Amino acid sequence: VGGNVLVSQRVVDVILKAFEACAASQGCMNNLTFGDKTFGYYETIAGGAGAGPTWEGRSGVQTHMTNTRITDPEIMERRYPVLLRAFGLRPGSGGAGKHRGGDGVVREIEFLRPTTISLLTERRAFQPFGLAGGESGARGLNLLIRRSGGLTQNIGGKNTVHAEAGDRVRILSPGGGGFGA
């Protein structure tokens, strides 16, 4: 899975940059899995698309080579021991420019019983680049918010962690790069 959903996204960004076609997208599919011995769940989370010479980047979309659709909140909460606490656009995460990059999203899930969480994400260290004078999009960020003690941890781009009941994972996906000064 990782070779497809990460490498394919970055290859497309590199090719588009080489042809000066558009700025970088979120650069990955923001893979989230969670489960225990009785269930498993996998989703990809949208982000921002890079802007181009005549267009604004799209917000809250999968880009390039993907064909995934996220599970509806009502179905997710009915089938799995979770509550979806937040899901929406991440305002201002797209890079500025003559044409602005698309905004990423914020997705926060609360776990109702002990669960193992795994993340496979990119653009947490390096921002999605802008092009032709456009600014870079915002980096992504993955947080684990502990119910006990209120501790919030940056869990990085690639990690597996254990959540207790009441803990939450908060994913802020990258925005797309802007195009033009």
Side-chain angles (χ1 to χ4, degrees), residues 120-164:
L120 182 60
T121 62
E122 282 289 335
R123 302 278 192 209
R124 273 40 186 187
F126 299 101
Q127 297 169 274
F129 57 82
L131 207 56
E135 294 183 16
S136 297
R139 288 178 195 86
L141 180 64
N142 303 325
L143 301 171
L144 181 62
I145 304 161
R146 297 285 187 185
R147 180 185 63 128
S148 176
L151 177 68
T152 299
Q153 299 172 267
N154 179 346
I155 54 176
K158 296 165 190 66
N159 205 344
T160 297
V161 295
H162 183 76
E164 296 296 335

Side-chain angles (χ1 to χ4, degrees), residues 50-70:
T54 61
W55 69 88
E56 308 293 314
R58 298 293 300 243
S59 296
V61 295
Q62 288 290 6
T63 57
H64 306 323
M65 308 171 66
T66 63
N67 64 354
T68 59
R69 181 172 175 228
I70 204 158

Side-chain angles (χ1 to χ4, degrees), residues 65-131:
M65 308 171 66
T66 63
N67 64 354
T68 59
R69 181 172 175 228
I70 204 158
T71 304
D72 293 329
E74 299 83 4
I75 292 171
M76 182 180 176
E77 290 180 343
R78 182 173 175 87
R79 293 185 181 169
Y80 303 98
V82 299
L83 292 173
L84 184 60
R85 292 295 185 187
F87 185 43
L89 294 178
R90 183 181 173 201
S93 58
K98 180 178 179 184
H99 299 285
R100 185 167 189 80
D103 287 333
V105 301
V106 176
R107 188 158 175 91
E108 186 172 309
I109 300 168
E110 180 178 338
F111 301 95
L112 302 180
R113 68 184 202 210
T115 305
T116 300
I117 307 163
S118 292
L119 291 156
L120 182 60
T121 62
E122 282 289 335
R123 302 278 192 209
R124 273 40 186 187
F126 299 101
Q127 297 169 274
F129 57 82
L131 207 56

